[in-house]
Amino acid sequence: MNRSRSAGGRRSAMRERVERGFHAVDDRLPVANGSRALLRKAFPEHWSFLLGELALYSFLVLLLTGTYLTLFFDPDMTQTRYAGPYAPLRGQEMSQAYASTLEISFEVRGGLLMRQVHHWAALLFLSAIGLHMLRVFFTGAFRKPRETNWLIGVTLFVLALVEGFTGYSLPDDLLSGTGLRIAQGIMLSIPVVGTYVAMFVFGGEYPGHEIIERLYPVHILFVPGLLLALIAAHLILVVVLKHTQWSGPGRTNANVVGHAMYPQFMARSTGLFLTLFGVLVLLGGLAQINPVWNYGPYRAEQVSTAAQPDWYVGFLEGSLRLMPPFETALFGHTVMWNVLVPAVVLPGLLFMLLYAYPFFERWVTGEDGTPHLCDRPRNRPVRTGLGVAGVTFYGVLLIAGGNDVLAHTFDLSLNALTWTLRGLLVVAPPAAFLLTRHLALALQRHDAERLDEGDETGNVRQSVEGTFSDDHRPLPHGEKYRLTAQSFPRPLGADPERGQSRMRAAFSRWYYRDASLPEESGAISRQRAGTREDGGRVTAGPARTGRRSRPRRPR
């Protein structure tokens, strides 16, 4: 009896100590309230919001496998004679970096699996970031107050490109060495300072003896540290600013409808991570990637046949191949436009456009609200057209990066294929823009017909007079809400007193002149029943009783 009382007293005293310690921490840090709010945070249910998580979990796999590979990789460029188990290379001279890569592949237990999982995870990391950015762009999720998160996302993509290229170059095989040779040529193309930049990076005349040793800390410390910091900032802003969400019953700009972080979202997210990890391990074990032993050690006088970089650098390779030879001699210096323009100027302009786009659209629209509902891409035909044009431009460059392989595989003339791709680079993006805008407007008209008449049932009715008509059924409430809860911007007019210049008004008319539904649609009056006008924008809400005439389109 006394023993049970003493045990109960000890448990009570321990409970009191734990409670005092918790309260002491909670007084200084938001443990209780902050944790409760975080655990109850709502996450949207739509699959498109998982693309960011794929990128995050791919990065975690990269950290895990990269840490393992770091234990065995030697970045030394000192030449050694290979005496390992891979017979075709035995006796050849190679750098210690390449020899240690072969050792990881053939002698370290699980080394080849880790190398291949690491490489596949890197490809998935870049792919997930790219798809996530496309989702954000096409749905307008970059608008106020999320401009900073868009800038962070673009910077993450740039850093991921740098991280991928540095890791790709570390083995010092013939394929990666060819990529470094191209990078050195790009540095040399920079006017005035190009030679100094190349000498600094390579530690002397190409190929130098320090480039791998310099890329190694950049790859394992500097860039990963920046990625970790920016990912943390990105996640914090996502929590603070709330998620965007698709329109639907109960979803407004003032709430987020979805699964709570604990336990529903946490269970789904954990399952996604485990599935992703399993798929990457299967790919690493079954799908060969980057077999450096087939390429051999790097030799400055050799180039691999059909050398192709990873897909995320393919656009840069393609731009170099499509640019015609063009040089200019100025004051004793040669400016290599055929390298400078496609490899320095073009990528710089592309990323500058990505950084500037949220501010350009805000300037064009004059929008100052904080929308949390995602735009349907069809309701922003110009933005959607610009995005598709950019993807088309990138795709042509990516195809051009393998023009030699395509010409050989399909028995085509390499010169004819190159000129065809040059023409497509000029013609295809504008054509994609016009076609996409036309399709978006057609889909808007289709939505208007569905609101006006409902969905077709497939039945045909015959009247007493003998005429035939399609039979329709009313749209479900949720679908009708989704179609009506959309905003249709109106172009700004020139108003110097409000800072709306003629140029801004002209851009706004070009951007939004076709964004509203066609005048001939009879559904628009019902679609916009109960709408309100605010700051030159017409925001449609759920259908209510009453009817208001539709504002006429500016001409």
Side-chain angles (χ1 to χ4, degrees):
M1 188 70 173
N2 292 336
R3 289 181 180 176
S4 61
R5 288 180 179 177
S6 61
R10 286 195 295 271
R11 285 195 295 269
S12 178
M14 183 176 297
R15 187 183 302 110
E16 291 178 0
R17 295 191 189 97
V18 171
E19 290 178 354
R20 285 198 302 269
F22 176 81
H23 289 304
V25 175
D26 191 47
D27 290 339
R28 296 161 176 81
L29 298 172
V31 176
N33 294 332
S35 300
R36 188 180 300 112
L38 181 62
L39 292 177
R40 298 306 300 169
K41 174 178 171 54
F43 287 83
E45 304 172 3
H46 198 268
W47 63 267
S48 61
F49 293 93
L50 298 178
L51 294 172
E53 292 182 48
L54 287 177
L56 174 63
Y57 295 147
S58 301
F59 183 66
L60 292 179
V61 175
L62 284 171
L63 290 179
L64 293 173
T65 54
T67 301
Y68 183 85
L69 295 174
T70 302
L71 302 176
F72 304 99
F73 181 73
D74 183 3
D76 191 2
M77 294 189 69
T78 303
Q79 293 295 303
T80 184
R81 194 170 295 277
Y82 182 68
Y86 188 65
L89 293 177
R90 196 174 298 154
Q92 292 192 30
E93 286 193 359
M94 60 187 64
S95 66
Q96 190 62 41
Y98 184 66
S100 67
T101 304
L102 294 177
E103 180 184 357
I104 292 173
S105 301
F106 297 115
E107 300 179 61
V108 174
R109 186 179 296 275
L112 181 58
L113 177 64
M114 288 295 178
R115 270 195 64 236
Q116 299 204 144
V117 170
H118 190 75
H119 204 126
W120 280 115
L123 297 181
L124 182 59
F125 180 52
L126 269 298
S127 302
I129 292 178
L131 291 175
H132 180 60
M133 290 180 62
L134 288 176
R135 197 276 301 175
V136 171
F137 179 84
F138 284 118
T139 62
F142 54 81
R143 294 173 296 173
K144 181 184 177 181
R146 298 177 179 85
E147 300 99 333
T148 302
N149 239 1
W150 171 262
L151 299 180
I152 290 175
V154 177
T155 306
L156 281 171
F157 188 71
V158 174
L159 290 175
L161 291 176
V162 175
E163 180 75 349
F165 180 75
T166 55
Y168 175 83
S169 304
L170 287 180
D172 199 31
D173 59 284
L174 186 56
L175 184 60
S176 65
T178 302
L180 282 175
R181 185 69 179 91
I182 295 174
Q184 191 250 2
I186 294 173
M187 296 175 195
L188 290 175
S189 71
I190 302 175
V192 183
V193 300
T195 304
Y196 302 100
V197 172
M199 293 282 285
F200 172 77
V201 171
F202 286 86
E205 294 286 347
Y206 182 84
H209 301 285
E210 301 177 10
I211 181 63
I212 302 299
E213 296 177 5
R214 293 183 176 184
L215 290 178
Y216 187 59
V218 172
H219 181 71
I220 69 169
L221 291 176
F222 182 65
V223 177
L226 292 177
L227 287 172
L228 280 171
L230 289 177
I231 289 173
H234 181 77
L235 295 177
I236 290 172
L237 287 176
V238 167
V239 172
V240 172
L241 301 176
K242 297 190 303 184
H243 278 85
T244 55
Q245 59 183 346
W246 293 104
S247 61
R251 295 179 172 89
T252 68
N253 283 323
N255 66 3
V256 177
V257 179
H259 292 301
M261 181 174 182
Y262 178 83
Q264 293 93 341
F265 175 78
M266 191 174 293
R268 293 178 63 194
S269 188
T270 302
L272 178 64
F273 171 71
L274 295 177
T275 302
L276 174 69
F277 190 82
V279 170
L280 287 174
V281 171
L282 284 176
L283 284 173
L286 301 177
Q288 179 175 273
I289 189 170
N290 197 27
V292 295
W293 52 88
N294 287 340
Y295 309 142
Y298 180 64
R299 296 284 185 271
E301 72 279 5
Q302 298 179 3
V303 176
S304 297
T305 302
Q308 303 294 315
D310 284 335
W311 73 266
Y312 49 85
V313 194
F315 80 99
L316 195 61
E317 178 87 4
S319 63
L320 285 168
R321 297 188 182 195
L322 292 187
M323 182 69 180
F326 183 43
E327 298 178 355
T328 303
L330 294 173
F331 307 107
H333 297 276
T334 301
V335 180
M336 300 184 297
W337 301 107
N338 56 325
V339 179
L340 179 65
V341 171
V344 179
V345 177
L346 179 63
L349 288 176
L350 288 176
F351 284 105
M352 283 179 61
L353 289 175
L354 288 176
Y355 278 114
Y357 185 83
F359 307 99
F360 167 75
E361 183 169 310
R362 185 177 176 186
W363 176 74
V364 168
T365 63
E367 185 177 29
D368 197 32
T370 55
H372 298 298
L373 292 178
C374 293
D375 290 330
R376 298 183 76 202
R378 67 185 63 182
N379 293 336
R380 298 292 183 271
V382 173
R383 180 206 293 158
T384 305
L386 290 174
V388 174
V391 173
T392 303
F393 185 81
Y394 182 91
V396 173
L397 292 179
L398 188 62
I399 294 173
N403 61 350
D404 54 341
V405 177
L406 292 173
H408 179 266
T409 302
F410 296 101
D411 195 21
L412 302 172
S413 167
L414 178 60
N415 188 54
L417 180 61
T418 300
W419 275 101
T420 300
L421 291 172
R422 286 172 179 170
L424 285 175
L425 190 65
V426 176
V427 175
F433 170 80
L434 295 175
L435 178 61
T436 302
R437 189 179 65 172
H438 177 76
L439 291 176
L441 294 172
L443 290 172
Q444 284 188 16
R445 287 192 290 270
H446 177 65
D447 287 343
E449 291 174 0
R450 293 182 65 204
L451 285 168
D452 206 17
E453 303 174 0
D455 284 331
E456 295 183 3
T457 63
N459 298 325
V460 178
R461 293 181 180 272
Q462 184 177 10
S463 66
V464 177
E465 294 80 8
T467 60
F468 294 92
S469 62
D470 296 331
D471 189 23
H472 295 80
R473 58 173 175 268
L475 294 179
H477 173 69
E479 181 68 8
K480 185 177 293 186
Y481 189 103
R482 186 173 68 90
L483 294 179
T484 56
Q486 300 289 325
S487 61
F488 296 89
R490 295 167 58 191
L492 298 174
D495 187 354
E497 294 182 359
R498 299 177 59 183
Q500 296 172 192
S501 62
R502 291 180 178 271
M503 183 177 68
R504 186 180 181 185
F507 266 113
S508 185
R509 286 195 299 271
W510 167 78
Y511 204 85
Y512 282 138
R513 63 185 176 187
D514 296 322
S516 55
L517 294 180
E519 192 75 40
E520 61 270 14
S521 170
I524 195 67
S525 58
R526 282 185 292 279
Q527 183 181 5
R528 290 192 175 168
T531 60
R532 57 185 177 83
E533 297 186 15
D534 184 15
R537 295 175 60 84
V538 178
T539 304
R544 303 186 183 95
T545 58
R547 186 182 297 253
R548 176 179 297 180
S549 62
R550 178 183 182 272
R552 298 191 64 82
R553 248 169 51 191
R555 300 187 182 276

mmCIF file of all heavy atoms in Angstrom, residues 138 377-378 380-389 392 429-443:
data_model
loop_
_atom_site.group_PDB
_atom_site.id
_atom_site.type_symbol
_atom_site.label_atom_id
_atom_site.label_comp_id
_atom_site.label_asym_id
_atom_site.label_seq_id
_atom_site.Cartn_x
_atom_site.Cartn_y
_atom_site.Cartn_z
ATOM 1 N N PHE A 138 -0.186 29.320 -64.533
ATOM 2 C CA PHE A 138 -1.440 29.220 -65.280
ATOM 3 C C PHE A 138 -2.660 29.486 -64.407
ATOM 4 O O PHE A 138 -3.714 29.855 -64.929
ATOM 5 C CB PHE A 138 -1.554 27.842 -65.937
ATOM 6 C CG PHE A 138 -0.683 27.679 -67.151
ATOM 7 C CD1 PHE A 138 0.317 26.728 -67.187
ATOM 8 C CD2 PHE A 138 -0.865 28.476 -68.260
ATOM 9 C CE1 PHE A 138 1.118 26.576 -68.299
ATOM 10 C CE2 PHE A 138 -0.068 28.340 -69.389
ATOM 11 C CZ PHE A 138 0.927 27.382 -69.406
ATOM 12 N N PRO A 377 -7.476 28.520 -66.342
ATOM 13 C CA PRO A 377 -6.645 29.030 -67.446
ATOM 14 C C PRO A 377 -7.447 29.538 -68.635
ATOM 15 O O PRO A 377 -7.050 30.507 -69.280
ATOM 16 C CB PRO A 377 -5.795 27.810 -67.818
ATOM 17 C CG PRO A 377 -5.676 27.039 -66.543
ATOM 18 C CD PRO A 377 -6.998 27.210 -65.864
ATOM 19 N N ARG A 378 -8.604 28.939 -68.907
ATOM 20 C CA ARG A 378 -9.405 29.388 -70.045
ATOM 21 C C ARG A 378 -9.955 30.794 -69.836
ATOM 22 O O ARG A 378 -10.282 31.483 -70.803
ATOM 23 C CB ARG A 378 -10.555 28.416 -70.283
ATOM 24 C CG ARG A 378 -11.596 28.394 -69.175
ATOM 25 C CD ARG A 378 -12.643 27.329 -69.402
ATOM 26 N NE ARG A 378 -12.056 26.006 -69.385
ATOM 27 C CZ ARG A 378 -12.744 24.887 -69.603
ATOM 28 N NH1 ARG A 378 -14.042 24.956 -69.848
ATOM 29 N NH2 ARG A 378 -12.159 23.708 -69.582
ATOM 30 N N ARG A 380 -8.288 33.253 -68.578
ATOM 31 C CA ARG A 380 -7.179 34.189 -68.779
ATOM 32 C C ARG A 380 -6.482 33.807 -70.078
ATOM 33 O O ARG A 380 -5.381 33.281 -70.076
ATOM 34 C CB ARG A 380 -6.200 34.147 -67.606
ATOM 35 C CG ARG A 380 -6.778 34.556 -66.272
ATOM 36 C CD ARG A 380 -7.108 36.047 -66.269
ATOM 37 N NE ARG A 380 -7.600 36.454 -64.955
ATOM 38 C CZ ARG A 380 -8.859 36.426 -64.576
ATOM 39 N NH1 ARG A 380 -9.785 35.987 -65.420
ATOM 40 N NH2 ARG A 380 -9.228 36.825 -63.374
ATOM 41 N N PRO A 381 -7.134 34.003 -71.219
ATOM 42 C CA PRO A 381 -6.603 33.477 -72.483
ATOM 43 C C PRO A 381 -5.242 34.035 -72.859
ATOM 44 O O PRO A 381 -4.415 33.320 -73.422
ATOM 45 C CB PRO A 381 -7.672 33.868 -73.506
ATOM 46 C CG PRO A 381 -8.464 34.953 -72.867
ATOM 47 C CD PRO A 381 -8.418 34.709 -71.407
ATOM 48 N N VAL A 382 -4.967 35.313 -72.564
ATOM 49 C CA VAL A 382 -3.678 35.883 -72.946
ATOM 50 C C VAL A 382 -2.570 35.313 -72.072
ATOM 51 O O VAL A 382 -1.506 34.927 -72.563
ATOM 52 C CB VAL A 382 -3.720 37.418 -72.858
ATOM 53 C CG1 VAL A 382 -2.341 38.011 -73.091
ATOM 54 C CG2 VAL A 382 -4.694 37.968 -73.885
ATOM 55 N N ARG A 383 -2.798 35.267 -70.755
ATOM 56 C CA ARG A 383 -1.787 34.686 -69.868
ATOM 57 C C ARG A 383 -1.524 33.227 -70.226
ATOM 58 O O ARG A 383 -0.360 32.787 -70.299
ATOM 59 C CB ARG A 383 -2.237 34.775 -68.413
ATOM 60 C CG ARG A 383 -1.217 34.172 -67.439
ATOM 61 C CD ARG A 383 -1.877 33.690 -66.170
ATOM 62 N NE ARG A 383 -2.409 34.792 -65.390
ATOM 63 C CZ ARG A 383 -3.377 34.653 -64.485
ATOM 64 N NH1 ARG A 383 -3.946 33.478 -64.287
ATOM 65 N NH2 ARG A 383 -3.796 35.688 -63.786
ATOM 66 N N THR A 384 -2.583 32.466 -70.465
ATOM 67 C CA THR A 384 -2.418 31.061 -70.836
ATOM 68 C C THR A 384 -1.682 30.932 -72.165
ATOM 69 O O THR A 384 -0.813 30.068 -72.327
ATOM 70 C CB THR A 384 -3.796 30.378 -70.924
ATOM 71 O OG1 THR A 384 -4.481 30.559 -69.677
ATOM 72 C CG2 THR A 384 -3.652 28.910 -71.204
ATOM 73 N N GLY A 385 -2.016 31.815 -73.122
ATOM 74 C CA GLY A 385 -1.315 31.781 -74.399
ATOM 75 C C GLY A 385 0.158 32.099 -74.266
ATOM 76 O O GLY A 385 1.007 31.462 -74.900
ATOM 77 N N LEU A 386 0.486 33.083 -73.425
ATOM 78 C CA LEU A 386 1.900 33.410 -73.198
ATOM 79 C C LEU A 386 2.638 32.239 -72.569
ATOM 80 O O LEU A 386 3.778 31.937 -72.933
ATOM 81 C CB LEU A 386 2.005 34.647 -72.302
ATOM 82 C CG LEU A 386 1.571 35.985 -72.916
ATOM 83 C CD1 LEU A 386 1.593 37.079 -71.859
ATOM 84 C CD2 LEU A 386 2.478 36.362 -74.082
ATOM 85 N N GLY A 387 1.986 31.566 -71.610
ATOM 86 C CA GLY A 387 2.629 30.421 -70.977
ATOM 87 C C GLY A 387 2.875 29.291 -71.955
ATOM 88 O O GLY A 387 3.961 28.688 -71.970
ATOM 89 N N VAL A 388 1.897 28.980 -72.787
ATOM 90 C CA VAL A 388 2.067 27.919 -73.780
ATOM 91 C C VAL A 388 3.122 28.312 -74.809
ATOM 92 O O VAL A 388 3.923 27.472 -75.249
ATOM 93 C CB VAL A 388 0.720 27.604 -74.455
ATOM 94 C CG1 VAL A 388 0.905 26.618 -75.593
ATOM 95 C CG2 VAL A 388 -0.260 27.038 -73.431
ATOM 96 N N ALA A 389 3.168 29.587 -75.188
ATOM 97 C CA ALA A 389 4.202 30.039 -76.120
ATOM 98 C C ALA A 389 5.586 29.862 -75.515
ATOM 99 O O ALA A 389 6.528 29.436 -76.209
ATOM 100 C CB ALA A 389 3.966 31.503 -76.494
ATOM 101 N N THR A 392 6.464 26.211 -75.578
ATOM 102 C CA THR A 392 6.794 25.822 -76.958
ATOM 103 C C THR A 392 8.196 26.268 -77.334
ATOM 104 O O THR A 392 8.966 25.506 -77.955
ATOM 105 C CB THR A 392 5.768 26.436 -77.928
ATOM 106 O OG1 THR A 392 4.452 26.023 -77.555
ATOM 107 C CG2 THR A 392 6.052 26.003 -79.355
ATOM 108 N N PRO A 429 6.204 29.598 -81.387
ATOM 109 C CA PRO A 429 5.640 30.267 -80.206
ATOM 110 C C PRO A 429 4.476 31.207 -80.512
ATOM 111 O O PRO A 429 3.439 31.126 -79.839
ATOM 112 C CB PRO A 429 6.851 31.012 -79.620
ATOM 113 C CG PRO A 429 8.036 30.218 -80.061
ATOM 114 C CD PRO A 429 7.674 29.749 -81.436
ATOM 115 N N PRO A 430 4.568 32.118 -81.519
ATOM 116 C CA PRO A 430 3.380 32.936 -81.827
ATOM 117 C C PRO A 430 2.179 32.103 -82.257
ATOM 118 O O PRO A 430 1.034 32.414 -81.879
ATOM 119 C CB PRO A 430 3.857 33.846 -82.960
ATOM 120 C CG PRO A 430 5.337 33.879 -82.846
ATOM 121 C CD PRO A 430 5.730 32.537 -82.343
ATOM 122 N N ALA A 431 2.422 31.038 -83.040
ATOM 123 C CA ALA A 431 1.308 30.185 -83.455
ATOM 124 C C ALA A 431 0.677 29.497 -82.246
ATOM 125 O O ALA A 431 -0.556 29.380 -82.162
ATOM 126 C CB ALA A 431 1.799 29.146 -84.461
ATOM 127 N N ALA A 432 1.513 29.053 -81.300
ATOM 128 C CA ALA A 432 0.987 28.425 -80.086
ATOM 129 C C ALA A 432 0.179 29.419 -79.269
ATOM 130 O O ALA A 432 -0.867 29.072 -78.691
ATOM 131 C CB ALA A 432 2.135 27.857 -79.255
ATOM 132 N N PHE A 433 0.642 30.678 -79.220
ATOM 133 C CA PHE A 433 -0.099 31.707 -78.480
ATOM 134 C C PHE A 433 -1.483 31.925 -79.087
ATOM 135 O O PHE A 433 -2.502 31.935 -78.374
ATOM 136 C CB PHE A 433 0.696 33.007 -78.492
ATOM 137 C CG PHE A 433 -0.067 34.188 -77.966
ATOM 138 C CD1 PHE A 433 -0.200 34.402 -76.603
ATOM 139 C CD2 PHE A 433 -0.651 35.092 -78.841
ATOM 140 C CE1 PHE A 433 -0.915 35.477 -76.117
ATOM 141 C CE2 PHE A 433 -1.368 36.180 -78.368
ATOM 142 C CZ PHE A 433 -1.498 36.376 -76.994
ATOM 143 N N LEU A 434 -1.542 32.111 -80.404
ATOM 144 C CA LEU A 434 -2.823 32.374 -81.067
ATOM 145 C C LEU A 434 -3.766 31.184 -80.934
ATOM 146 O O LEU A 434 -4.964 31.347 -80.663
ATOM 147 C CB LEU A 434 -2.590 32.704 -82.534
ATOM 148 C CG LEU A 434 -1.803 34.002 -82.814
ATOM 149 C CD1 LEU A 434 -1.528 34.139 -84.305
ATOM 150 C CD2 LEU A 434 -2.564 35.210 -82.295
ATOM 151 N N LEU A 435 -3.234 29.973 -81.128
ATOM 152 C CA LEU A 435 -4.075 28.777 -81.032
ATOM 153 C C LEU A 435 -4.599 28.596 -79.606
ATOM 154 O O LEU A 435 -5.784 28.279 -79.404
ATOM 155 C CB LEU A 435 -3.276 27.552 -81.469
ATOM 156 C CG LEU A 435 -4.004 26.204 -81.374
ATOM 157 C CD1 LEU A 435 -5.244 26.206 -82.277
ATOM 158 C CD2 LEU A 435 -3.065 25.056 -81.751
ATOM 159 N N THR A 436 -3.744 28.812 -78.618
ATOM 160 C CA THR A 436 -4.164 28.639 -77.227
ATOM 161 C C THR A 436 -5.232 29.660 -76.849
ATOM 162 O O THR A 436 -6.218 29.324 -76.191
ATOM 163 C CB THR A 436 -2.954 28.781 -76.294
ATOM 164 O OG1 THR A 436 -1.965 27.806 -76.645
ATOM 165 C CG2 THR A 436 -3.360 28.589 -74.844
ATOM 166 N N ARG A 437 -5.037 30.906 -77.265
ATOM 167 C CA ARG A 437 -6.044 31.921 -76.952
ATOM 168 C C ARG A 437 -7.370 31.584 -77.616
ATOM 169 O O ARG A 437 -8.445 31.748 -77.014
ATOM 170 C CB ARG A 437 -5.553 33.297 -77.399
ATOM 171 C CG ARG A 437 -6.443 34.436 -76.920
ATOM 172 C CD ARG A 437 -5.931 35.776 -77.345
ATOM 173 N NE ARG A 437 -5.945 35.936 -78.795
ATOM 174 C CZ ARG A 437 -5.685 37.072 -79.423
ATOM 175 N NH1 ARG A 437 -5.369 38.155 -78.727
ATOM 176 N NH2 ARG A 437 -5.701 37.144 -80.737
ATOM 177 N N HIS A 438 -7.312 31.118 -78.862
ATOM 178 C CA HIS A 438 -8.548 30.737 -79.561
ATOM 179 C C HIS A 438 -9.243 29.589 -78.831
ATOM 180 O O HIS A 438 -10.474 29.607 -78.650
ATOM 181 C CB HIS A 438 -8.208 30.332 -80.995
ATOM 182 C CG HIS A 438 -9.385 29.850 -81.781
ATOM 183 N ND1 HIS A 438 -10.339 30.698 -82.287
ATOM 184 C CD2 HIS A 438 -9.769 28.588 -82.122
ATOM 185 C CE1 HIS A 438 -11.266 29.990 -82.922
ATOM 186 N NE2 HIS A 438 -10.947 28.715 -82.835
ATOM 187 N N LEU A 439 -8.489 28.577 -78.400
ATOM 188 C CA LEU A 439 -9.088 27.450 -77.685
ATOM 189 C C LEU A 439 -9.674 27.889 -76.345
ATOM 190 O O LEU A 439 -10.741 27.416 -75.936
ATOM 191 C CB LEU A 439 -8.042 26.349 -77.470
ATOM 192 C CG LEU A 439 -7.582 25.602 -78.731
ATOM 193 C CD1 LEU A 439 -6.475 24.621 -78.377
ATOM 194 C CD2 LEU A 439 -8.753 24.863 -79.376
ATOM 195 N N ALA A 440 -8.973 28.793 -75.638
ATOM 196 C CA ALA A 440 -9.476 29.275 -74.358
ATOM 197 C C ALA A 440 -10.804 30.000 -74.536
ATOM 198 O O ALA A 440 -11.752 29.804 -73.766
ATOM 199 C CB ALA A 440 -8.445 30.195 -73.696
ATOM 200 N N LEU A 441 -10.896 30.844 -75.569
ATOM 201 C CA LEU A 441 -12.154 31.552 -75.824
ATOM 202 C C LEU A 441 -13.262 30.583 -76.243
ATOM 203 O O LEU A 441 -14.433 30.767 -75.862
ATOM 204 C CB LEU A 441 -11.947 32.608 -76.908
ATOM 205 C CG LEU A 441 -11.010 33.759 -76.524
ATOM 206 C CD1 LEU A 441 -10.726 34.632 -77.727
ATOM 207 C CD2 LEU A 441 -11.598 34.582 -75.392
ATOM 208 N N ALA A 442 -12.894 29.546 -77.002
ATOM 209 C CA ALA A 442 -13.895 28.544 -77.383
ATOM 210 C C ALA A 442 -14.407 27.804 -76.148
ATOM 211 O O ALA A 442 -15.606 27.513 -76.034
ATOM 212 C CB ALA A 442 -13.307 27.566 -78.394
ATOM 213 N N LEU A 443 -13.515 27.494 -75.222
ATOM 214 C CA LEU A 443 -13.936 26.833 -73.987
ATOM 215 C C LEU A 443 -14.808 27.746 -73.138
ATOM 216 O O LEU A 443 -15.743 27.280 -72.467
ATOM 217 C CB LEU A 443 -12.702 26.389 -73.195
ATOM 218 C CG LEU A 443 -11.912 25.235 -73.804
ATOM 219 C CD1 LEU A 443 -10.604 25.020 -73.051
ATOM 220 C CD2 LEU A 443 -12.744 23.939 -73.771
#
